[in-house]
Amino acid sequence: MWVYRVALGWLAWELTRSEFWVGVVAFTQFAPAVLFGPIFGVLADRFDPAGGVAADQHDEHAVTWRSWHSPTACGKTDIYVLALLAMMQGILDGAHMPVRMALVPNLVTRAQLQSALATNSISFNLSRFIGPAIAGLLIASLGVAAAFAFNALSYVAILAALVVVRLRPTSRGSAPRGDVWHELKAGVRYVWRHADIRPLLAIIAAASVLGRGPLELLPAYADAIFGRGSGGLAILTSAVGGGAIVAGLILARGAAWLRLEVVAGGIICGGLLIAALGISDLFWLSVCIVVALGCTLSLCGVGSQILLQSLVDDDVRGRVSSLWGMVAFGGVALGGLLIGSLSSLFGLREVTVVTGLVCTVQIVVIMLRYRRTRPHAGSAAHTDAQQED
């Protein structure tokens, strides 16, 4: 996936040399998750044993699509076709995302959940570290089409793994199921009435738009600001992954210290790091900032998943996970488009600095409001959702 993402971002920059179009491609890649993720979250709650089958179908389609995407990307496309292909992949990811997020809790017991999510994060972010390095080598030596071809072949491993995956039974409510729209609304009500999940999603939304969004503009940073080309992009993207691996190792050692306030504090630091990235004019200093940013944002992102999965009930896990993904990935899409558009008008560095400062202020406002409205008793959200399901 990370080979694909680096190749996609670089191809968008190579075709246009425009921060705006890099943002557009990022938007088309992630925006479909907002539309399709919640619907498939409902289906994940209905058909939990079929989660592996759904993921298998997604990956089979991904292999087929990327197989013909490779020659198309090889000098026979323009930015409009590229955005359309990115949107097609985004639709598949919107279907796959809630299933993938609900998969880990269905493989382990609740007591093992924290460790399993941290281990999964290490695996994910290890690929985030290695993948861009592979992409950089492939693009520099063989061209961007080779990176897409490599990505298509890599899905054979996923299909092989899904053959042996066995899901454990989960405790699901016995309430009768309604139509998809009714169940989706019940999931939204569950989140809205939950005293801790609602502010958690608000924080993740701000972090995704204003924290992750600027990272979608790394192709422009690598080439336009530092003049390092695809190799510089690979270094910067791998730096994000390297910091994220550190975050995963920290969480794997235990996360009893995780609280909503800790996640919020980490994102406040992330906003300040984003501003520092906009100020820096030295490449290797920026790499160090990006490492710290990758660690901070991943610590908060994975930490929010651990908190969410420990709070949510099994019978709404797919829906709540899909809403988390809608906020997280939809925020990245919106942030990439917004920051790319503003950067083309006012300058990349200037917009990055303002974005980081706004992120910090917004998290402070959310937490002040949370402290004023936080109830002393636990949430009755689950009971309400079951009654209305």
Side-chain angles (χ1 to χ4, degrees):
M1 184 189 72
W2 286 106
V3 171
Y4 164 78
R5 288 200 60 196
V6 171
L8 185 68
W10 178 252
L11 184 57
W13 174 257
E14 198 173 48
L15 288 171
T16 63
R17 304 285 171 178
S18 166
E19 295 94 340
F20 170 75
W21 279 109
V22 173
V24 167
V25 169
F27 178 80
T28 57
Q29 185 182 4
F30 289 107
V34 177
L35 297 175
F36 296 97
I39 296 174
F40 282 92
V42 173
L43 297 180
D45 283 332
R46 288 187 176 188
F47 308 111
D48 182 55
V53 176
D56 178 86
Q57 291 298 310
H58 158 77
D59 292 328
E60 285 186 292
H61 284 295
V63 169
T64 302
W65 176 73
R66 285 172 178 164
S67 295
W68 64 261
H69 178 62
S70 300
T72 303
C74 187
K76 298 181 180 179
T77 189
D78 57 23
I79 191 62
Y80 305 105
V81 174
L82 189 69
L84 177 62
L85 295 176
M87 184 177 65
M88 292 171 60
Q89 178 61 30
I91 293 172
L92 293 175
D93 288 340
H96 179 55
M97 177 266 299
V99 175
R100 177 179 62 81
M101 290 187 64
L103 189 62
V104 174
N106 289 340
L107 291 171
V108 299
T109 65
R110 201 171 188 90
Q112 298 169 318
L113 180 59
Q114 176 183 303
S115 177
L117 288 170
T119 303
N120 185 54
S121 169
I122 294 173
S123 174
F124 180 83
N125 288 303
L126 183 63
S127 70
R128 190 176 192 168
F129 178 73
I130 297 173
I134 296 173
L137 290 173
L138 288 172
I139 293 171
S141 58
L142 301 175
V144 71
F148 288 121
F150 176 89
N151 173 255
L153 291 174
S154 70
Y155 272 77
V156 175
I158 298 178
L159 295 173
L162 286 171
V163 172
V164 298
V165 167
R166 295 293 181 268
L167 303 182
R168 58 184 291 273
T170 58
S171 57
R172 292 176 173 273
S174 57
R177 296 295 185 182
D179 59 83
V180 171
W181 178 243
H182 183 81
E183 290 185 44
L184 180 57
K185 288 192 295 183
V188 172
R189 282 191 291 267
Y190 175 92
V191 169
W192 183 255
R193 295 174 181 178
H194 201 292
D196 295 314
I197 293 179
R198 184 177 71 247
L200 179 63
L201 289 187
I203 290 171
I204 293 304
S208 299
V209 175
L210 302 173
R212 290 284 182 185
L215 295 181
E216 297 304 310
L217 277 297
L218 286 182
Y221 260 100
D223 199 41
I225 302 297
F226 299 117
R228 298 276 181 149
S230 60
L233 174 60
I235 292 172
L236 287 170
T237 311
S238 293
V240 178
I245 292 174
V246 175
L249 292 172
I250 293 172
L251 290 169
R253 294 179 62 86
W257 46 269
L258 263 179
R259 300 288 187 275
L260 184 65
E261 291 83 359
V262 174
V263 174
I267 297 174
I268 289 172
C269 293
L272 297 176
L273 288 169
I274 287 287
L277 178 63
I279 295 171
S280 171
D281 57 359
L282 299 175
F283 178 73
W284 290 108
L285 175 60
S286 297
V287 170
C288 294
I289 293 172
V290 167
V291 170
L293 191 58
C295 180
T296 302
L297 291 180
S298 293
L299 198 63
C300 296
V302 179
S304 71
Q305 288 187 52
I306 293 174
L307 285 176
L308 182 71
Q309 297 293 354
S310 65
L311 292 169
V312 73
D313 297 284
D314 283 337
D315 55 347
V316 290
R317 190 179 299 278
R319 279 170 284 179
V320 175
S321 295
S322 69
L323 290 172
W324 184 95
M326 180 183 75
V327 168
F329 297 110
V332 174
L334 179 60
L337 179 62
L338 177 65
I339 296 166
S341 301
L342 293 175
S343 296
S344 65
L345 296 174
F346 303 108
L348 180 57
R349 284 184 171 178
E350 292 80 359
V351 171
T352 302
V353 172
V354 172
T355 297
L357 296 178
V358 171
C359 178
T360 298
V361 172
Q362 188 169 359
I363 297 301
V364 170
V365 171
I366 291 172
M367 288 308 297
L368 289 175
R369 182 175 181 181
Y370 169 69
R371 285 181 175 275
R372 287 199 303 267
T373 61
R374 182 181 183 182
H376 297 288
S379 171
H382 178 227
T383 303
D384 293 337
Q386 278 188 321
Q387 290 174 349
E388 297 176 12
D389 206 350

